[in-house]
Amino acid sequence: EFNLIFDAGTGMKNLGDKIAGRELNYDIFMSHTHIDHVSGFPFFKPAYSSESRLKMWAGHLKPRGRTLKGVMESVMDSPLFPISVDVLESTIVWNDFEAGENFQLSDEVHLKTTPLNHPEGATGYRVEYNGKVVCYVTDTEHTPNQPDENILALIKDADLVIYDCTYTDGEFPSYTGWGHSTWQEGVRLCDAANVKQLAVFHHDPSHTDKFMDGVGDALEAMRPNGGLIAREGMTLEI
């Protein structure tokens, strides 16, 4: 048995506290390594257990001559952090690949990847298991009126797509080049790719709960029973 974790933001702290000592094998797939996606890793309790085995994956660094291990060593280095990666007692395997490669993680679990449009690169993921498909697609910036063909191919017929919905279409022109998309573009992509459920993810910090409730109402109107707002601690069963 193994567990798939996508990115390592602040949620890694609570996740690690919850599963420490219970599970042993973790595959951690990074969309990219900007600070909001790696800041939780130094607080992931299983990383400090000699009984844990971690496989760390990244698809955006290799083409740029970088490694995931090197990046995480920088994150966990003075003066940013008081202890180094070398202190971690878990067995860690570092896997750098190029976005677009596919992997057979086990007899039953197949992983597909695609490059995303984000400053310094990012990777989108598709997990196929037991006839079900879940896709994790963040951080990426779309081109208006031009669907991303890589993403459409990745998410085709998926049961759940977790998509970068940082902005609204109205806000988007003010953030060109920032590397993020909109919830309406998420709807358009999921409709075009025959996706069952869209999870609106990667909220802009300036969006209040009231604002997100409004997005939820608009999403329900556009995709009745086919969309939801991602919330901290949410659990979904596919």
Side-chain angles (χ1 to χ4, degrees), residues 134-135 159-166 182-184 186-187 190-191 195-203 212-238:
V134 175
C135 300
D159 294 279
L160 173 67
V161 171
I162 303 163
Y163 183 73
D164 178 355
C165 300
T166 304
T182 72
W183 70 267
Q184 291 101 327
V187 168
C190 288
D191 285 351
V195 171
K196 291 181 181 178
Q197 189 83 286
L198 164 66
V200 171
F201 174 74
H202 207 295
H203 312 316
M212 294 308 304
D213 287 341
V215 171
D217 291 341
L219 177 63
E220 175 65 21
M222 295 181 71
R223 294 197 104 228
N225 302 313
L228 54 90
I229 305 296
R231 301 172 184 269
E232 185 174 0
M234 176 180 282
T235 300
L236 301 174
E237 185 171 339
I238 308 300

Side-chain angles (χ1 to χ4, degrees), residues 130-178:
N130 197 28
K132 301 296 183 179
V133 175
V134 175
C135 300
Y136 179 73
V137 185
T138 194
D139 293 18
T140 191
E141 181 173 335
H142 69 278
T143 300
N145 303 314
Q146 187 177 324
D148 189 318
E149 295 297 332
N150 287 336
I151 293 177
L152 285 176
L154 188 78
I155 69 174
K156 182 175 174 55
D157 297 327
D159 294 279
L160 173 67
V161 171
I162 303 163
Y163 183 73
D164 178 355
C165 300
T166 304
Y167 305 120
T168 66
D169 278 354
E171 295 169 326
F172 183 74
S174 298
Y175 296 96
T176 300
W178 287 46

Side-chain angles (χ1 to χ4, degrees), residues 98-114:
E98 294 193 23
E101 294 185 53
N102 301 325
F103 302 93
Q104 194 73 37
L105 301 180
S106 73
D107 290 341
E108 298 178 312
V109 181
H110 189 59
L111 184 85
K112 296 182 178 179
T113 75
T114 198

Side-chain angles (χ1 to χ4, degrees), residues 6 13 29 34 58 85 109 125 136 179 192 234:
F6 292 87
K13 169 65 169 63
F29 298 94
H34 287 159
V85 168
V109 181
Y125 294 95
Y136 179 73
M234 176 180 282

Side-chain angles (χ1 to χ4, degrees), residues 7-48:
D7 280 333
T10 56
M12 285 285 276
K13 169 65 169 63
N14 289 340
L15 174 65
D17 292 347
K18 182 178 181 179
I19 64 179
R22 193 175 67 197
E23 307 288 358
L24 297 177
N25 300 299
Y26 309 90
D27 283 75
I28 302 174
F29 298 94
M30 308 302 300
S31 64
H32 63 307
T33 46
H34 287 159
I35 194 66
D36 53 325
H37 292 255
V38 301
S39 57
F41 180 76
F43 304 95
F44 185 54
K45 190 171 289 185
Y48 295 85

